[in-house]
Amino acid sequence: MKFFRNIIDKFAGKPVDWDELEEALIRSDIGVPMTLRIVQRLQERNADRRITANDITEIAREEIGRVLPINPLPIRPLPAHPKVILLVGVNGTGKTTSTAKLAHFFKTKRHTILLAAADTFRAAAIEQLDIWAQRIGVEMIRGQYNADPAALCYEAYEAADKRDLEFLICDTAGRLHTKSNLMAELGKVKRSLGKHDVNAPHEILLVVDATTGSNALAQAKEFHEAIGLTGLIVTKLDGSGKGGVVIAIQNELGIPTRFVGTGEKLEDFKEFDGRDFIANMV
């Protein structure tokens, strides 16, 4: 995750070029507003003494620490009914795999889970989740290819509630014919679940790929505006030098990162830790 390392190396032992620093910060995907905050703080300090690479590190950590939640609230089951978690996002971000990893994460904590293969527009997604469910040892509700995902989620809630399961995790479609169709379909799923519980889905987690940078921020804006997000699952946060999008989305949209994926294995998935994230920036 050391996405500030090249910035520090670039300015070590030489005067800071402000335009060059601003460009480098923006390229780290932390977003323009956060970039300007860091640069302004550094320029204020520069009035008293010459800025060093250590100053960049210190100020960046301070400003990012003001924004990132250090200990996001964990997702806990409800006392009487299933807690519904909807996973959304565009295709290719690792949504179906993240659904499986989240189920495995809860199972390791001795929770009971039902998966819903609600990405019914991709037969491969249904089969992929089925394989994961068998590997993890959790139940899964599936429908026919091109079945109504809202109806499937409705039935899945009934099944989870009847079996007294703690979590229902729904994998949803990432692409329909148009963007408006996708958002309308997700809205329909949300309304369908709300017929069982007015607060369902209780969590709507957007899966984003850390390596896509500003595209992930754009995706977060669109999904948040359409259905309201409660958090992120950030995939491919595996030392590739990216990860700034976590900061940009929190700072600009107020959406916290709840989980991070750092590899292909089921175990390469954990709750987001703000302190750990900041400590590993450089």
Side-chain angles (χ1 to χ4, degrees):
M1 292 196 313
K2 299 187 182 297
F3 53 89
F4 273 112
R5 173 60 62 196
N6 63 331
I7 296 175
I8 304 306
D9 291 344
K10 180 178 291 188
F11 295 104
K14 68 175 186 177
V16 172
D17 180 303
W18 295 108
D19 290 337
E20 193 176 358
L21 174 60
E22 188 173 303
E23 180 184 353
L25 286 169
I26 290 173
R27 286 171 65 88
S28 72
D29 299 330
I30 63 174
V32 173
M34 179 57 70
T35 292
L36 295 179
R37 278 175 59 170
I38 292 171
V39 170
Q40 182 179 352
R41 283 281 312 279
L42 287 167
Q43 288 177 335
E44 290 169 357
R45 181 172 292 191
N46 189 53
D48 298 324
R49 58 182 174 80
R50 181 181 162 214
I51 291 297
T52 66
N54 286 337
D55 290 310
I56 298 173
T57 303
E58 180 186 341
I59 296 299
R61 281 182 168 166
E62 285 179 7
E63 291 302 318
I64 291 167
R66 295 176 198 276
V67 169
L68 286 184
I70 298 303
N71 294 305
L73 291 175
I75 297 177
R76 302 191 187 282
L78 298 173
H81 298 289
K83 173 163 277 191
V84 184
I85 304 174
L86 210 61
L87 265 67
V88 302
V90 301
N91 287 346
T93 56
K95 183 161 43 63
T96 299
T97 302
S98 293
T99 302
K101 287 181 176 181
L102 183 60
H104 179 261
F105 173 84
F106 285 133
K107 188 172 182 186
T108 61
K109 296 185 178 297
R110 301 182 182 278
H111 294 303
T112 53
I113 308 107
L114 179 66
L115 295 177
D119 185 355
T120 60
F121 303 104
R122 284 197 309 136
I126 300 172
E127 297 305 322
Q128 181 186 1
L129 193 60
D130 189 26
I131 292 169
W132 279 119
Q134 292 179 45
R135 189 179 303 176
I136 298 166
V138 298
E139 295 183 77
M140 186 186 94
I141 296 289
R142 62 184 293 168
Q144 297 296 318
Y145 173 60
N146 271 338
D148 181 2
L152 179 71
C153 289
Y154 184 91
E155 293 169 8
Y157 184 99
E158 287 183 327
D161 197 25
K162 184 177 180 179
R163 300 172 198 175
D164 291 323
L165 301 179
E166 293 172 302
F167 289 101
L168 169 61
I169 307 175
C170 305
D171 180 27
T172 65
R175 180 176 297 151
L176 293 180
H177 180 60
T178 68
K179 194 179 299 179
S180 59
N181 284 352
L182 170 60
M183 299 307 177
E185 192 64 59
L186 291 173
K188 185 180 175 184
V189 169
K190 186 176 180 180
R191 291 190 299 274
S192 176
L193 289 164
K195 292 176 182 178
H196 286 296
D197 179 343
V198 294
N199 296 314
H202 307 94
E203 299 281 352
I204 303 178
L205 303 180
L206 175 69
V207 181
V208 295
D209 180 336
T211 66
T212 61
S214 59
N215 282 340
L217 176 59
Q219 291 162 21
K221 287 178 179 177
E222 291 171 4
F223 279 92
H224 192 44
E225 183 178 334
I227 56 172
L229 302 172
T230 62
L232 301 180
I233 295 177
V234 181
T235 64
K236 299 184 184 177
L237 201 63
D238 53 4
S240 61
K242 295 292 184 176
V245 68
V246 166
I247 300 159
I249 294 175
Q250 175 72 61
N251 185 46
E252 298 179 40
L253 302 177
I255 302 169
T257 297
R258 308 295 286 277
F259 298 93
V260 294
T262 57
E264 297 298 322
K265 298 177 182 177
L266 284 170
E267 296 77 17
D268 297 331
F269 187 84
K270 63 179 182 177
E271 289 176 299
F272 178 75
D273 184 319
R275 286 192 182 90
D276 183 57
F277 183 87
I278 292 171
N280 282 282
M281 287 194 311
V282 295

